[in-house]
């Protein structure tokens, strides 16, 4: 069962927004057993929309589109699909009722009112979190579903309405995969380490490498429920080869691995962040339930706060500078005390693009991690890009703390 | 001058990663005057790559691809392009030298060594930040450039090598645009407010609406340097219509608007974050130079830290609960004092998915902002999605503080 995703919107093509819908929809479709053949992003342009559908339909069973359903002039998807499927627009009162229910306090203006016009020969699915209705077209045994482009609306509709219907309709073959988060190897070093394993994989099996900021995500996959036993055999071989280098046996973020480890052991965490500016806290607290182990953060961008809130010594700051082993160590200890936590992470570095010196160039980062009375302080030399440095320092910091858990056992 | 972007990688199609390359490349191409016709994401599949090139080449002048250049078996782009352009692979010693320079301390393993094989009939551009070389193919007056998929490598190569060459080669017509960040209007209310203006835009002009978490980004655009005078006339009309609702006259993030405002006025900022978990600090510090106005953050996930670090009263916590006007106010004041800053932001709420009650459902957020001795405390009722709630609360909090600056003037 093959699927294509088409995201529609000039704002995507000019790079004003990053299309995150395609990736999310692809993930959901894959897990549901569909094979995503391709994704396309095209403009708010009727001819291009029609041409693309003509082009893509022969190759797939399902097309999911997002975008172009807003109330303003530049949104033309609904009208264009209406033309494409040779139907007309009709007013649907249940859509208007749905909109009124969503905004009980608001008067409905004319543009919002017109959101209730829908293509006649389509199944209209109520959008319970937004004003744009979702439409499902059956077409020569294939299906096209048009969804809104606003990510949280699309996600709600996809999870609750579209995916269950698609699965029921097409009953796709299962996509079996195992993802391993592997630490301590670069991509090519890992490939060489498991070269023989990879060369001897049974027909139909695949192995893919995805390097990502200090780790490699390794994905072993095959299609078809009947191959589960074989998959399990291959899994065992891979686990034996990788041993402790496996940080997690599923595709979860490092912050989630860390969260699980903390939660299992009943330990609390706090951070003292300088160069990562709260990003570690943001990542850790993006995990639902993190309030059970995460107690807080002190972001000390200025020296003054390092002294007042984290009890970093004036002497260390003057003698070694803010980006130093001594200050990183004092920050981690200070966070442990001020936040009253079992484990702590501190970061201090030069994220860039300015602020580097010959001795401490942009990308120099000191990270200290503490687990009860043990600590590790390490220097990392990262790159030139501020965003990448913040992300990498955050990941390395969490990995450094995770390593301490492993050593403890 | 038309361009297409093709990102290659199974990990995109199964949704394991979000393709952020396309959006960034599109933005750069658009600013350089190219018209991005389409973006496609396809698999690590030789036939699909060739078919897609056959399909896309007739429609555009330039194709930029990313991905599939890694050292492992699943990376086949280089070999496939070699076939497609009917050339052969040759060993390029300068590529190997570049790799050795990048990793002076590492021994080069066989897979990394093989990265130095390149297509014979192509221009090889050294990748100064990674091991995969960039190749430029000239083909019937058109151009295809194959770049690595690792975002920071691709960005470095694109900015420093590819874009300047493309501009020199094609001399594309300028894309003129103005983006306004508009606050205080929903998308359709804004469209109605400027309906007459939009209907009377000169031929060739376009107007696009992009709603985004509390603001609408409005883009006015036209192609061709000779239309600059007309654009300026339309700008004046739009500015007169929108007045104070314009938060910024270019497409910049709210955290950057806030940063500029603080910097101009020589004021400092600190935050006390509960439900946003450090995300506001993360956003604010993602801006280069933010250390000049941002002093720090206290993320107080637990009540204990609200009391110890922010001086929130036990009484308020017991009487009103952590998610309350009183606690938000005490947190903002506490942050102002503890961090010794001119302005502060506090957030306390229920991000979800758990933790809601009938009285305070998931999505309830109190935000207090302080500017010297003035303050505003407001309750927001957000949605059910944790990630969206964290992002929206962060944006609303920064907008709330920005509103106080505007009122002051």
């Amino acid at each position: 069962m093959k699927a294509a995703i088409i995201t529609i919107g000039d704002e995507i093509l000019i790079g004003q927004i990053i299309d995150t819908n395609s990736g999310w929809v692809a993930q959901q479709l894959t897990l549901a057993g569909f094979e995503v053949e391709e994704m396309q992003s095209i403009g708010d342009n009727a001819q291009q929309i029609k041409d693309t559908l003509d082009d893509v339909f022969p190759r797939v069973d399902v097309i999911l589109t997002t975008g172009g359903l807003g109330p303003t002039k530049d949104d033309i998807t609904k009208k264009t699909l209406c033309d494409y499927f040779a139907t007309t627009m009709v007013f649907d009162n249940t859509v208007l009722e749905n909109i009124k229910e969503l905004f009980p306090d608001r008067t409905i203006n004319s543009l919002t009112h017109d959101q209730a016009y829908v293509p006649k020969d389509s199944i209209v699915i109520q959008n319970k979190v937004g004003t744009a209705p979702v439409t499902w077209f059956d077409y020569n045994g294939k299906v096209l579903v048009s969804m809104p482009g606003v990510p949280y609306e699309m996600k709600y509709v996809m999870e609750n309405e579209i995916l269950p219907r698609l699965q029921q309709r097409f009953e796709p073959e299962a996509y079996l995969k195992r993802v391993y988060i592997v630490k301590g190897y670069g991509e090519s070093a890992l490939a060489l380490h498991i070269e023989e394993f990879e060369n001897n994989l049974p027909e139909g099996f695949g192995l893919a490498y995805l390097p990502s900021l200090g780790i490699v995500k390794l994905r072993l996959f095959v299609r078809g429920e009947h191959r589960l036993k074989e998959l399990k055999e291959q899994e065992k071989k891979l686990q034996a080869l990788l041993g402790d280098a496996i940080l997690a046996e599923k595709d979860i973020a490092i912050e989630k691995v860390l969260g699980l480890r903390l939660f299992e052991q009943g330990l609390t965490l706090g951070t003292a962040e300088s160069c990562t500016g709260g990003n570690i806290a943001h990542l850790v607290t993006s995990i639902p339930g993190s309030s059970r182990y995460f107690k807080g953060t002190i972001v000390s961008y200025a020296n003054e706060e390092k002294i007042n809130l984290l009890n970093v010594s004036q002497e260390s700051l003057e003698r070694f500078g803010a980006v130093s082993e001594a200050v990183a160590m004092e920050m981690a200890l200070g966070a442990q005390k001020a936040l009253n936590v079992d484990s702590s992470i501190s970061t201090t570095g030069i994220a860039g693009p300015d602020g580097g010196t010959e001795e401490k160039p942009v990308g120099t980062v000191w990270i200290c991690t503490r687990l009860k009375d043990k600590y590790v302080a390490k220097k990392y030399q990262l790159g030139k890009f501020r965003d990448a440095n913040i992300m990498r320092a955050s990941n390395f910091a969490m990995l450094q703390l995770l390593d301490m858990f492993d050593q403890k056992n």
Side-chain angles (χ1 to χ4, degrees), chain A residues 24-304:
Chain A
W24 189 88
V25 173
Q27 194 181 39
Q28 300 301 310
L29 285 174
T30 303
L31 292 174
F34 289 88
E35 196 168 338
V36 177
E37 274 286 296
E38 61 194 277
M39 302 168 175
Q40 297 206 24
S41 298
I42 57 176
D44 294 304
N45 174 318
Q47 194 56 49
Q48 194 184 16
I49 294 174
K50 291 176 193 171
D51 289 346
T52 304
L53 294 181
D54 276 342
D55 182 39
V56 175
F57 251 133
R59 291 196 288 264
V60 299
D61 305 289
V62 178
I63 296 180
L64 296 181
T65 74
T66 71
L69 299 183
T72 50
K73 279 199 173 38
D74 54 331
D75 294 303
I76 60 161
T77 301
K78 195 164 64 180
K79 176 77 184 59
T80 304
L81 291 176
C82 214
D83 288 354
Y84 187 80
F85 294 113
T87 179
T88 51
M89 295 273 235
V90 290
F91 191 82
D92 185 332
N93 212 49
T94 56
V95 175
L96 186 64
E97 289 306 314
N98 179 58
I99 294 171
K100 282 183 181 163
E101 222 168 272
L102 272 171
F103 302 108
D105 313 328
R106 260 200 241 172
T107 52
I108 305 292
N109 66 37
S110 62
L111 291 182
T112 306
H113 177 269
D114 288 354
Q115 291 281 63
Y117 279 95
V118 295
K120 189 161 166 265
D121 294 329
S122 72
I123 300 164
V124 175
I125 296 165
Q126 297 306 323
N127 174 355
K128 297 197 180 106
V129 289
T131 62
V134 176
T135 46
W136 170 300
F137 297 89
D138 281 290
Y139 181 66
N140 297 339
K142 300 185 172 191
V143 165
L144 181 145
V145 186
S146 160
M147 300 185 288
V150 179
Y152 79 87
E153 291 184 25
M154 182 279 294
K155 287 179 185 175
Y156 186 87
V157 164
M158 183 79 186
E159 276 178 343
N160 294 287
E161 307 280 354
I162 307 303
L163 262 183
R165 287 168 207 233
L166 286 176
Q167 277 182 295
Q168 200 180 11
R169 165 74 176 270
F170 291 99
E171 297 180 344
E173 197 175 37
Y175 174 80
L176 307 180
K177 70 164 179 181
R178 295 293 179 267
V179 175
Y180 300 88
I181 311 282
V182 182
K183 61 178 182 176
Y185 285 94
E187 185 183 7
S188 59
L190 178 61
L192 289 174
H193 181 64
I194 58 174
E195 191 175 19
E196 209 190 308
F197 166 82
E198 186 170 0
N199 288 337
N200 292 316
L201 277 172
E203 181 67 27
F205 273 77
L207 192 66
Y209 299 78
L210 184 65
S212 169
L213 304 168
I215 54 165
V216 178
K217 293 183 181 181
L218 193 63
R219 172 168 42 88
L220 177 68
F221 59 96
V222 71
R223 209 167 272 281
E225 198 66 56
H226 62 287
R227 306 203 67 178
L228 187 61
K229 201 176 143 230
E230 281 172 279
L231 178 66
K232 285 190 174 158
E233 285 162 17
Q234 298 306 320
E235 273 183 83
K236 271 188 203 142
K237 287 188 197 168
L238 197 51
Q239 285 160 339
L241 275 167
L242 294 175
D244 285 347
I246 297 177
L247 184 67
E249 300 211 350
K250 53 183 167 178
D251 190 3
I252 59 176
I254 296 175
E255 54 269 25
K256 194 155 186 178
V257 181
L258 180 60
L260 286 169
R261 213 66 68 92
L262 289 163
F263 183 65
E264 281 160 14
Q265 304 198 13
L267 297 171
T268 55
L269 170 68
T271 70
E273 305 185 42
S274 184
C275 64
T276 50
N279 191 45
I280 299 173
H282 165 56
L283 294 172
V284 170
T285 59
S286 70
I287 307 298
S290 47
S291 59
R292 283 175 291 187
Y293 49 82
F294 185 72
K295 290 187 72 182
T297 295
I298 294 166
V299 176
S300 52
Y301 236 51
N303 279 349
E304 202 182 321

Side-chain angles (χ1 to χ4, degrees), chain A residues 8-22:
Chain A
I8 300 167
D10 289 342
E11 69 276 15
I12 302 172
L13 293 184
I14 64 162
Q16 191 173 19
I17 62 158
I18 298 288
D19 166 30
T20 57
N21 284 347
S22 296

